Amino acid sequence: MSEAGKPIVEVCLTPALFYQYNTKESIVVAIDILRATSSICVALQYGARSIVPVMTVEESFQYKEKGYLIGAERQGSMVEGFDLGNSPFSYMEDKIIGRDIALTTTNGTKAINIANGSAGIVAGSFLNLDVLAAWLIEQNKDVLCLCAGWKNTFNLEDTLFAGALSQKLLPHFQLSEHRDSAIAAMNLYNLAKHDMYDFLKDSSHRTRLERLKIDEDVLYCLTPNQTLVVPVLKDGVLKKHSDW
Ligand code: MLT
């Protein structure tokens, strides 16, 4: 925390830059708008008991043997042999109620796992924007928005959310000396906010998902405040903050 007493909000634009940040005293907000952290918010809102973010497809099958539902996405598609993919709509189904889920995705679940060792790890998405901002203000700790990107590269949608969240946290928070990524994210968000779907029309993951004909997923994931959950990671497990 800074000398002025206000906590700091920073933005890490890709997991490749995460090593530059010391998050021992900070809460990391893992962000994968399309679609992992959006689907995680939906699953906990619609009654899943917990979600384990898993790194590999192989590891997920071990959870299946323990009675978990397993979800996997690679290249945007559901992986054969899994119960669920990564569409937020599939996490609204009755079969997830009361269940523990192991989920592995290309970037989102990795971003959650690389933040291990931070003072706190939560999942952020437009779907929980306001409730997450209010919860972070209450925690009064430094925050790092960690954009999952795509395979260690920058992406627009995660950056837009990092900008939206940073903007909500200021003026309760302040920017750090390394503030340019937060300023860039907020400026981009302000450019895009009136029509984020259109703003993202040529973006890489929208193009990727368009090929799979899952545009409704994109539209839904860009709609603010559809859930009231703050998914908090403890001991490798994500649960609603109120369930810990
Ligand atoms: C990821 O982890 O990269 C994603 O959430 C990809 C997707 O579901 O389309």
Side-chain angles (χ1 to χ4, degrees), residues 122-175:
V122 296
S125 71
F126 285 105
L127 303 178
N128 71 345
L129 174 60
D130 282 359
V131 72
L132 174 61
W135 185 84
L136 288 167
I137 290 166
E138 218 177 274
Q139 306 309 303
N140 200 34
K141 278 197 159 76
D142 293 346
V143 166
L144 177 68
C145 301
L146 170 60
C147 301
W150 183 262
K151 299 186 179 174
N152 274 335
T153 61
F154 171 91
N155 81 17
L156 279 172
E157 64 275 12
D158 297 345
T159 308
L160 294 183
F161 177 75
L165 182 63
S166 302
Q167 200 154 283
K168 281 211 176 269
L169 294 182
L170 299 171
H172 303 274
F173 285 60
Q174 62 180 320
L175 300 175

Side-chain angles (χ1 to χ4, degrees), residues 190-219:
N190 287 323
L191 268 179
K193 65 184 175 193
H194 299 297
D195 192 347
M196 289 192 282
Y197 182 76
D198 183 64
F199 186 86
L200 293 171
K201 66 177 179 302
D202 296 325
S203 67
S204 55
H205 205 49
R206 248 206 76 182
T207 312
R208 224 173 266 126
L209 294 178
E210 240 159 41
R211 281 199 293 270
L212 301 171
K213 304 213 180 311
I214 41 182
D215 240 18
E216 318 80 68
D217 284 19
V218 177
L219 276 166

Side-chain angles (χ1 to χ4, degrees), residues 32-39 73-77 85-87 104-110 148-151 155 205 208-209 212 214 217:
D32 183 10
I33 298 305
L34 300 176
R35 297 160 289 172
T37 54
S38 301
S39 293
E73 166 279 333
R74 289 292 181 272
Q75 301 303 329
S77 298
N86 198 22
S87 167
T104 181
T105 72
T106 312
N107 306 284
T109 54
K110 289 201 178 97
W150 183 262
K151 299 186 179 174
N155 81 17
H205 205 49
R208 224 173 266 126
L209 294 178
L212 301 171
I214 41 182
D217 284 19

Side-chain angles (χ1 to χ4, degrees), residues 11-60:
V11 173
C12 176
L13 293 171
T14 129
L17 293 172
F18 183 69
Y19 75 95
Q20 299 273 14
Y21 297 86
N22 179 349
T23 57
K24 281 200 180 69
E25 304 294 328
S26 315
I27 297 177
V28 172
V29 179
I31 303 166
D32 183 10
I33 298 305
L34 300 176
R35 297 160 289 172
T37 54
S38 301
S39 293
I40 287 167
C41 291
V42 170
L44 293 179
Q45 173 74 35
Y46 280 78
R49 191 166 61 168
S50 72
I51 301 172
V52 180
V54 171
M55 295 292 268
T56 64
V57 163
E58 295 70 34
E59 200 188 338
S60 303

Side-chain angles (χ1 to χ4, degrees), residues 175-190:
L175 300 175
S176 74
E177 185 193 344
H178 313 290
R179 57 182 56 191
D180 290 17
S181 50
I183 293 172
M186 288 189 283
N187 282 335
L188 268 182
Y189 173 66
N190 287 323

